[in-house]
C-alpha cells in the first residue's frame, strides 16, 4: 500500500508541473462548454423538453462532461504503457516489486486527482457563474455523485489500460487509441447527452462501459432515471463495469507478459 501511495504521489507531482498546459486545458474546456451550452439553449428554445431533459439539465451535463473530460481521459492521453511496450522498456517495469496494473492505476489516479482539483472544478465553476446549473440536493446526493466520479475514473483507467495492453500483440497502439477516442466520445455522452438519441439506441449505449465515464455520472448528478433506475442503479452499473474491466486488466496482463518481446536491444 505504501508503494502505491508513493506512486500516486509521483503521478500527482508529475502532472502538477504542467501548469501552463493545465490552464490551457481549463480555458479550452470552459470555452467549449460555453459554446455547446449556447447551442443547446437554442435547441430548447424551440422544444422545452427532450426525453425528460430540460434546458437546465442539458447545460449542466455539458459542463459536467467538460469537467470530467480530463479525469476520465475519454480523449486521452493514452497510458505510457503502450509506448513502453513498443520500445521494450516494459521489461524494466516487469522487474519492479509491484504488479503492472496496480502500479499504473496508482500513477493514473494521481493524474486524475490533479485534473479533478485544478481543471474540473474550475471548469464547472465557470458554467455555474454563467448559467443556472442543477446541483445535487442534500449530502447523500452529493456523496453518490462523488462516488460516481470516482468509479468513472476507474472505468476510464481500465479502458485505457486495455488499449495499452493491445501493444503486446500489435506492438503499436496509436491506431487503437485513435479509434477508441472516437468511439468513446460518441458512446459516453461527451459530445451529446445520450437522452437526445432515439430511445433504443440511447438505452443500449448507456449499458456500454464508455457511458459509465460521462453519461452515468451525469445521470447520478442530476438524479435522472437510467437503464437500471435512479442514482443507485447508475452506481451499480458503474461498479459492475469497474470490477469487470479491472479483472480483465489483471487477467490479460498475466497473459500478455508471457509474450514480451523486447524491441531495440
Amino acid at each position: 500500500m505504501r508503494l502505491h501511495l508513493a506512486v500516486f504521489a509521483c503521478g500527482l507531482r508529475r502532472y502538477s508541473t504542467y501548469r501552463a498546459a493545465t490552464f490551457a486545458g481549463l480555458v479550452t474546456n470552459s470555452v467549449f462548454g460555453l459554446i455547446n451550452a449556447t447551442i443547446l439553449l437554442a435547441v430548447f428554445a424551440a422544444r422545452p423538453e427532450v426525453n425528460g431533459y430540460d434546458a437546465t439539465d442539458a447545460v449542466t451535463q455539458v459542463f459536467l462532461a467538460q469537467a470530467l473530460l480530463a479525469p476520465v481521459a475519454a480523449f486521452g492521453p493514452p497510458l505510457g504503457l503502450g509506448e513502453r511496450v513498443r520500445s521494450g522498456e516494459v521489461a524494466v517495469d516487469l522487474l519492479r516489486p509491484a504488479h503492472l496494473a496496480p502500479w499504473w492505476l496508482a500513477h493514473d489516479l494521481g493524474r486524475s486527482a490533479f485534473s479533478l482539483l485544478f481543471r474540473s472544478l474550475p471548469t464547472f465553476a465557470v458554467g455555474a457563474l454563467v448559467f443556472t446549473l442543477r446541483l445535487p440536493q442534500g449530502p447523500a446526493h452529493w456523496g453518490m455523485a462523488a462516488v460516481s466520479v470516482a468509479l468513472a475514473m476507474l472505468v476510464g483507467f481500465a479502458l485505457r489500460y486495455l488499449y495499452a495492453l493491445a501493444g503486446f500483440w500489435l506492438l503499436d497502439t496509436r491506431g487503437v487509441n485513435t479509434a477508441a477516442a472516437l468511439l468513446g466520445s460518441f458512446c459516453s455522452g461527451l459530445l451529446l447527452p445520450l437522452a437526445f438519441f432515439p430511445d433504443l439506441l440511447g438505452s443500449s449505449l448507456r449499458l456500454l462501459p464508455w457511458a459509465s465515464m460521462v453519461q452515468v455520472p451525469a445521470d447520478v448528478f442530476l438524479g435522472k432515471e437510467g437503464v437500471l433506475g435512479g442514482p443507485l442503479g447508475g452506481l451499480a452499473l458503474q461498479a459492475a463495469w469497474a470490477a469487470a474491466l479491472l479483472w480483465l486488466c489483471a487477467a490479460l496482463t498475466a497473459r500478455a507478459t508471457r509474450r514480451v518481446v523486447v524491441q531495440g536491444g
Side-chain angles (χ1 to χ4, degrees):
M1 178 61 73
R2 290 178 61 186
L3 172 63
H4 294 105
L5 287 175
V7 175
F8 172 86
C10 286
L12 191 65
R13 286 197 301 271
R14 176 185 176 184
Y15 285 92
S16 67
T17 60
Y18 301 110
R19 297 174 186 174
T22 300
F23 180 74
L26 165 61
V27 172
T28 301
N29 290 147
S30 300
V31 169
F32 272 94
L34 293 171
I35 294 172
N36 292 344
T38 302
I39 293 172
L40 286 179
L41 285 175
V43 172
F44 279 94
R47 183 174 177 178
E49 185 175 317
V50 177
N51 290 337
Y53 268 59
D54 59 18
T56 302
D57 294 329
V59 171
T60 302
Q61 177 158 339
V62 164
F63 280 95
L64 278 173
Q66 291 298 319
L68 288 171
L69 182 59
V72 304
F75 281 151
L79 285 180
L81 174 62
E83 177 59 27
R84 294 180 71 82
V85 171
R86 189 194 66 79
S87 67
E89 292 175 296
V90 70
V92 177
D93 298 340
L94 296 175
L95 293 175
R96 290 174 177 148
H99 292 293
L100 198 64
W103 175 283
W104 282 97
L105 173 59
H107 187 273
D108 195 61
L109 286 179
R111 178 201 61 80
S112 296
F114 176 80
S115 298
L116 185 66
L117 291 174
F118 296 100
R119 186 165 163 180
S120 301
L121 294 179
T123 297
F124 193 79
V126 169
L129 287 173
V130 178
F131 301 101
T132 299
L133 303 184
R134 198 177 307 282
L135 301 177
Q137 300 299 312
H141 194 176
W142 276 107
M144 288 189 290
V147 171
S148 184
V149 170
L151 290 171
M153 292 191 292
L154 288 178
V155 171
F157 162 79
L159 289 171
R160 289 160 57 239
Y161 185 85
L162 291 173
Y163 306 152
L165 279 186
F168 282 95
W169 287 269
L170 302 177
L171 298 184
D172 192 332
T173 58
R174 286 175 293 184
V176 174
N177 288 319
T178 300
L182 294 173
L183 182 65
S185 62
F186 176 79
C187 297
S188 66
L190 178 64
L191 298 180
L192 190 68
L194 297 185
F196 285 27
F197 287 64
D199 291 340
L200 180 59
L201 177 59
S203 297
S204 300
L205 292 177
R206 271 185 165 93
L207 291 172
L208 299 179
W210 296 279
S212 290
M213 293 192 295
V214 177
Q215 184 61 58
V216 177
D219 289 339
V220 172
F221 190 91
L222 294 168
K224 297 293 183 182
E225 291 287 327
V227 289
L228 297 184
L232 291 178
L235 292 176
L237 179 62
Q238 285 183 287
W241 272 120
L245 291 171
L246 290 173
W247 175 86
L248 186 59
C249 288
L252 286 182
T253 298
R255 185 178 181 85
T257 51
R258 299 194 193 107
R259 54 177 294 126
V260 175
V261 176
V262 177
Q263 307 280 328

